[in-house]
Amino acid sequence: MIRSYRAKLLVAFLAIVALLLSLLGGLGYLNFKNYYLANLEARLTKESYLVADMTQYRIGSGSASRTYQDICITAARDSDTRVTIIDSTGTVIGDSEIDPSTLDNHSTRPEVFTALHGQVGVDTRYSDTLNMNMLYVAVPFSNEELSGAVRMAMPLAELQGIYNRALMGILLAALLCGFAAILASIILAQFLSRPLRGITAAVQELAAGNL
C-alpha cells in the first residue's frame, strides 16, 4: 500500500512537472520567435532608411556619381541582405542580386505597395525569383530625381536555423530541469509518504494486539 501510494504520488508530481515544463518551454520558444522577428524587422527597417538616405547623395561630381544598382550592391554587401530600389511606378531600378531589367513591376507587392503609400511595409512569402521563402521590409524614399521604395529581403531559411538552435537550447534546458524534477519528486514522495508509514506501522501493531 505504501509503495502504491508513493508511486502514485511520484507519478502525479512528474505529470505536473512535465506539464509545466512543456508550457514554459512552448511559451519561451514562441516569445523568442516573436521577439527575434520584431528585432529583425526593426533592424531591416533602420537599414532600409539608411539606404534611402544614400539615394539623396547619389549624384556627385565626376566619378563620384553612382547608379541605383551600385547603391544596392554596396548596401547588400554591408548588410548581408538583398536590396532592391523601386520607383513610384513599381519599376525596379536597382537590385543587388538580379538584373533590374529582367524583373517585373513590383507595385503590387504588399510591402512595396505600402511603402509607395508612405508607410513601412513588411511581408513574408515565397520568392519566385530566388526560389525560397523571404522576409521583406520596404520603406519610402524620395530625392530630387524621383520617389519610390527601398526594400530589403532576408531568407527565412537563415531565420529558421536560428529558431531551430533556440529550440534545441530550450529542449536541453527542459531535459535538465526534468532530471532535476525527477530527483526532487522522488525525495518529496519519500518525505510525504513517511507519515503514512508511521500510521501503517501503528495499525499493524494494533492488529497484532500490541497495545
Side-chain angles (χ1 to χ4, degrees):
M1 178 179 175
I2 297 176
R3 290 182 179 178
S4 176
Y5 172 76
R6 188 188 307 163
K8 290 179 180 179
L9 198 59
L10 180 60
V11 170
F13 285 150
L14 291 178
I16 293 172
V17 169
L19 179 61
L20 289 176
L21 286 177
S22 298
L23 288 175
L24 291 175
L27 289 174
Y29 179 64
L30 290 176
N31 285 334
F32 172 81
K33 284 184 67 174
N34 293 335
Y35 175 80
Y36 191 87
L37 183 60
N39 275 271
L40 182 60
E41 290 176 2
R43 193 202 91 190
L44 292 180
T45 299
K46 180 179 179 181
E47 292 179 353
S48 295
Y49 274 119
L50 291 176
V51 177
D53 288 340
M54 291 171 65
T55 66
Q56 298 279 352
Y57 310 102
R58 185 181 73 84
I59 300 177
S61 57
S63 60
S65 298
R66 293 189 297 174
T67 65
Y68 289 105
Q69 183 72 358
D70 292 333
I71 293 174
C72 288
I73 292 172
T74 300
R77 185 173 60 245
D78 293 339
S79 63
D80 196 27
T81 59
R82 179 188 176 189
V83 181
T84 308
I85 298 178
I86 304 108
D87 69 14
S88 59
T89 67
T91 301
V92 178
I93 55 178
D95 190 277
S96 60
E97 297 187 13
I98 307 293
D99 180 359
S101 63
T102 64
L103 297 172
D104 57 7
N105 190 282
H106 277 37
S107 60
T108 58
R109 307 290 171 89
E111 74 287 349
V112 175
F113 180 85
T114 301
L116 291 178
H117 287 78
Q119 303 295 322
V120 176
V122 179
D123 192 33
T124 56
R125 65 175 182 276
Y126 185 80
S127 171
D128 293 325
T129 304
L130 300 178
N131 297 316
M132 65 180 71
N133 292 311
M134 303 285 288
L135 167 66
Y136 297 97
V137 175
V139 302
F141 86 92
S142 63
N143 55 35
E144 295 180 355
E145 293 180 299
L146 49 78
S147 62
V150 171
R151 186 184 71 179
M152 282 190 160
M154 179 179 182
L156 285 180
E158 296 181 14
L159 202 57
Q160 190 59 50
I162 294 172
Y163 290 161
N164 290 341
R165 288 192 292 274
L167 180 59
M168 290 301 296
I170 291 173
L171 290 176
L172 179 60
L175 185 62
L176 293 175
C177 289
F179 281 129
I182 290 174
L183 293 175
S185 297
I186 293 173
I187 295 172
L188 190 58
Q190 287 279 100
F191 176 77
L192 293 178
S193 64
R194 188 177 300 167
L196 183 61
R197 289 199 298 271
I199 294 173
T200 302
V203 170
Q204 290 174 345
E205 287 289 327
L206 288 172
N210 298 323
L211 300 178

